[in-house]
Each structure stands twice: as structure tokens, then as C-alpha cells.
């Protein structure tokens, strides 16, 4: 066999060696890992020794009560999980095609693209591919990225922050998210041609909870204008509650422009003539670098790119 062949071909790497790595990582014990794979402990030990000899590194540290991956082991385990996950995905895909289904794609999104680009995208891909099944989840970026890491989502439309592990995530920006102030239709402040932060500082505001990025930037916006941030506040991320309480009071709220325009189109709120220099960071399409996108997910991503260019070009 040619020396130009990949190492795993020359070494005749076995799928059972990859499965053993994963089982050892999960069980921390060679006996339990062997039992999970329905093999004897000596057979499992032999497979592991062969793999360590191939790579010429120790993959596990032998402890008095079990085994712990070395840094080499951690690296190989991560890739083993990706390979096995991809093979499982391949089988599901083939079985789906055999049954006449294009497959299933699970999408997670933050609210703004959830009301602006996802509805036409989902309508388009399900119209063009009738066998495609789409599930959609709307949450904040942290929750969505955790579900992406757990393989519960195929792709996310959200934000990446400093604390997120960008090494294993692919990010393709779609747009920024300006924010606006909203009030109930007929609110007295809507009669003003323009408003300043001083005009609304004493109002009761519906705001995101402390700790959220938008709340921090909202408070900072007033501080930069040499004003105290509003102290009469109702804290919530629940949009249904927010729109309902605005309709029944003279409170104001800060929300993303896409969500505001959606509710304004149904006359549930109106956008105040107030500049809000506290826009959110850009959001985009987030996928995992260690997972292949299925044809179903690729259809959704391509439709998202096209819809994103159309929807957000006017934002520059």
C-alpha cells in the first residue's frame, strides 16, 4: 500500500477502536467499556494497545480505579465522536431517502430572525422539498448553542460571544440588530415629533433582565447621556407579556427593530420617535465544524443566505 495513503488506511484503523475510545471516555473503566461493546476485557485492552502503538502516544492514563484520557486521548476522542456521529447521520440519511423522505432539520433561532427571515425560508424549503421535515426553536443564543453542542439542533441563527468556544463553531454573519423604543398605540409620547432620552428617563420601562447584553447597553446608553438609567422597570424576556402590559399601561419597552415592526404591523405597539444608540451585535448562521450538514440542513442554510441578503441589504 502506498505511503501516500492516509495513516488510518495504512494502519487499518477499526471502527471498533473508535467506539472503544468513546466508551472509555464515558465509562472511565476498561471492564465497563468492554461490556458496553459486548467484547471481553482482554480484547478491548488489545484494541487500545494497538491504537496507542499506531500513534506512538499514550491515549489514557491508567489510574488505581479506572482510566483518564491524556491530552492525546482527548483530541482523538473528540474526532472519534465526530466520525461515529457522521456515520450515524449517514445511515439516517440513507434510510430517509430510501423511505422517500428528504430528512429532518432542527433549527434554533433568536427572536428577530425568527420573525423576519425564518418564516419565508421555512415556507420556501418545505414548498420546494415536500419530504423535508423542519423543527424550529426560538430561544436566546446561549441556550441554542448548548443545544447545538448536544446534537439537538443542526444549525443556529444567533450570536457568538467571548465565552463561546469558537474553535468548534462556524459563524457566517447575517445582520446587525438595531433596537427601538415602543409603546401602546395612542400613547401620549407618540404625539411628539422627536424625543430625547431625557424625555423618557422617568417612564416605567419593560426591559430585559439584568445580566443580558441588551440590558447592559440600555443602562449604559442613559449613563453616556449623563442620565441615571430608569429605576422604574419591569424585567422580562417574555414578548407575549411585554406586548400585553404595554397595551394596558403607559409603560415603554426596548426591543429589536424586527420584532417591533412585526408587532406594529398588527397595531399592538407603535415605535417611538426616539434614537436608541444601543444596538445589539450582529447575528449569523452558526454550525459545528465537527459535523457534516445534511442535505436538508444545507437547503435551509442556502435559503437563509438568500433571504438574509434580501432582508438585510437595506441595513448596509
Amino acid at each position: 500500500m502506498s505511503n501516500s495513503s492516509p495513516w488510518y488506511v495504512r494502519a487499518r484503523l477499526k471502527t471498533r477502536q473508535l467506539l472503544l475510545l468513546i466508551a472509555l471516555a464515558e465509562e472511565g473503566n476498561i471492564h465497563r467499556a468492554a461490556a458496553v461493546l459486548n467484547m471481553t476485557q482482554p480484547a478491548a485492552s488489545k484494541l487500545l494497545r494497538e491504537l496507542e502503538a499506531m500513534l506512538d502516544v499514550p491515549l489514557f492514563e491508567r489510574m488505581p480505579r479506572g482510566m483518564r484520557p491524556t491530552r492525546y486521548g482527548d483530541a482523538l476522542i473528540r474526532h472519534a465522536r465526530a466520525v461515529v456521529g457522521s456515520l450515524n447521520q449517514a445511515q439516517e440519511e440513507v434510510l430517509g431517502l430510501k423511505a422517500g423522505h428528504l430528512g429532518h432539520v432542527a433549527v434554533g433561532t433568536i427572536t428577530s430572525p425568527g420573525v423576519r427571515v425564518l418564516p419565508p425560508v421555512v415556507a420556501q424549503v418545505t414548498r420546494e422539498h415536500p419530504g423535508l421535515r423542519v423543527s424550529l426553536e426560538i430561544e436566546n443564543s446561549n441556550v441554542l448553542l448548548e443545544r447545538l453542542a448536544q446534537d439537538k439542533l443542526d444549525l443556529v441563527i444567533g450570536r457568538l460571544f467571548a465565552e463561546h468556544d469558537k474553535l468548534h463553531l462556524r459563524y457566517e454573519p447575517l445582520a446587525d440588530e438595531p433596537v427601538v423604543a415602543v409603546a401602546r398605540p395612542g400613547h401620549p409620547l407618540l404625539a411628539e415629533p422627536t424625543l430625547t432620552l431625557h424625555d423618557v428617563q422617568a417612564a416605567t420601562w419593560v426591559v430585559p433582565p439584568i445580566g443580558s447584553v441588551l440590558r447592559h447597553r440600555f443602562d449604559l446608553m442613559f449613563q453616556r447621556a449623563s442620565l441615571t438609567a430608569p429605576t422604574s422597570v419591569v424585567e422580562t424576556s417574555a414578548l407575549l407579556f411585554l406586548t400585553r402590559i404595554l397595551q394596558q399601561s403607559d409603560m415603554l419597552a426596548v426591543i429589536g427593530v424586527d420584532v417591533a415592526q412585526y408587532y406594529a404591523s398588527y397595531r399592538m405597539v407603535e415605535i417611538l420617535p426616539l434614537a436608541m444608540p444601543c444596538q445589539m451585535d450582529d447575528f449569523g448562521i452558526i454550525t459545528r465544524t465537527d459535523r457534516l450538514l445534511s442535505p436538508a440542513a444545507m437547503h435551509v442554510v442556502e435559503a437563509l443566505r438568500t433571504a438574509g441578503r434580501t432582508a438585510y441589504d437595506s441595513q448596509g
Side-chain angles (χ1 to χ4, degrees):
M1 192 175 287
S2 163
N3 279 340
S4 63
S5 302
W7 75 270
Y8 51 84
V9 174
R10 296 197 305 275
R12 291 185 169 81
L13 181 70
K14 302 177 182 75
T15 307
R16 284 180 79 70
Q17 285 170 319
L18 299 181
L19 293 170
L20 177 61
L21 276 179
I22 296 167
L24 276 170
E26 290 172 356
E27 300 295 333
N29 178 290
I30 191 83
H31 300 283
R32 289 197 298 271
V36 166
L37 297 176
N38 291 317
M39 65 171 72
T40 64
Q41 187 266 320
S45 295
K46 182 169 181 282
L47 277 179
L48 181 59
R49 280 197 307 273
E50 288 172 352
L51 190 53
E52 289 179 319
M54 277 182 220
L55 295 162
D56 195 26
V57 291
L59 296 173
F60 286 86
E61 189 182 346
R62 277 68 172 176
M63 314 287 289
R65 293 184 175 273
M67 301 175 76
R68 183 171 64 198
T70 63
R71 62 191 179 121
Y72 309 112
D74 279 332
L76 199 57
I77 288 161
R78 191 175 75 248
H79 289 286
R81 284 187 167 129
V83 170
V84 171
S86 188
L87 289 173
N88 285 334
Q89 195 179 339
Q91 186 210 21
E92 287 170 14
E93 215 170 282
V94 169
L95 292 176
L97 290 168
K98 203 170 148 190
H101 304 304
L102 184 60
H104 168 239
V105 57
V107 182
T109 181
I110 58 175
T111 308
S112 286
V115 299
R116 184 162 183 181
V117 291
L118 259 300
V121 161
V122 172
Q124 177 196 329
V125 294
T126 52
R127 183 173 62 249
E128 291 175 355
H129 308 283
L132 178 62
R133 184 165 59 92
V134 179
S135 57
L136 182 70
E137 191 171 321
I138 296 183
E139 256 296 355
N140 67 54
S141 293
N142 286 335
V143 170
L144 295 175
L145 289 173
E146 190 177 328
R147 292 182 68 76
L148 182 68
Q150 295 166 346
D151 266 346
K152 292 176 180 173
L153 293 172
D154 297 304
L155 62 115
V156 163
I157 300 94
R159 294 186 182 85
L160 279 181
F161 298 117
E163 67 267 24
H164 296 138
D165 177 12
K166 298 177 182 64
L167 187 63
H168 302 121
L169 296 172
R170 189 183 295 107
Y171 178 74
E172 185 179 329
L174 279 178
D176 294 327
E177 185 181 11
V179 300
V180 291
V182 293
R184 65 172 174 82
H187 192 289
L189 288 177
L190 290 164
E192 301 295 327
T194 57
L195 293 167
T196 66
L197 290 177
H198 185 271
D199 298 325
V200 297
Q201 191 246 355
T204 300
W205 283 81
V206 184
V207 293
I210 287 175
S212 66
V213 176
L214 180 53
R215 176 62 180 278
H216 170 69
R217 292 186 182 174
F218 175 81
D219 289 347
L220 198 59
M221 174 180 68
F222 282 91
Q223 289 161 16
R224 283 177 173 162
S226 301
L227 297 166
T228 306
T231 52
S232 179
V233 295
V234 175
E235 298 179 341
T236 184
S237 296
L239 288 168
L240 288 175
F241 174 81
L242 181 152
T243 50
R244 195 68 175 149
I245 200 168
L246 288 192
Q247 289 171 338
Q248 298 177 4
S249 71
D250 279 341
M251 292 184 191
L252 309 178
V254 55
I255 55 176
V257 68
D258 290 338
V259 180
Q261 288 171 346
Y262 171 79
Y263 284 121
S265 70
Y266 289 97
R267 296 283 300 151
M268 295 171 75
V269 301
E270 284 198 40
I271 297 172
L272 288 168
L274 172 68
M276 296 282 282
C278 63
Q279 80 170 37
M280 297 291 286
D281 296 332
D282 60 74
F283 56 82
I285 303 166
I286 306 169
T287 52
R288 286 173 54 171
T289 55
D290 61 348
R291 287 285 182 274
L292 291 174
L293 284 179
S294 67
M298 285 192 286
H299 285 308
V300 173
V301 168
E302 192 48 50
L304 270 170
R305 288 181 184 133
T306 305
R309 283 193 295 269
T310 304
Y312 299 116
D313 270 355
S314 61
Q315 287 180 206

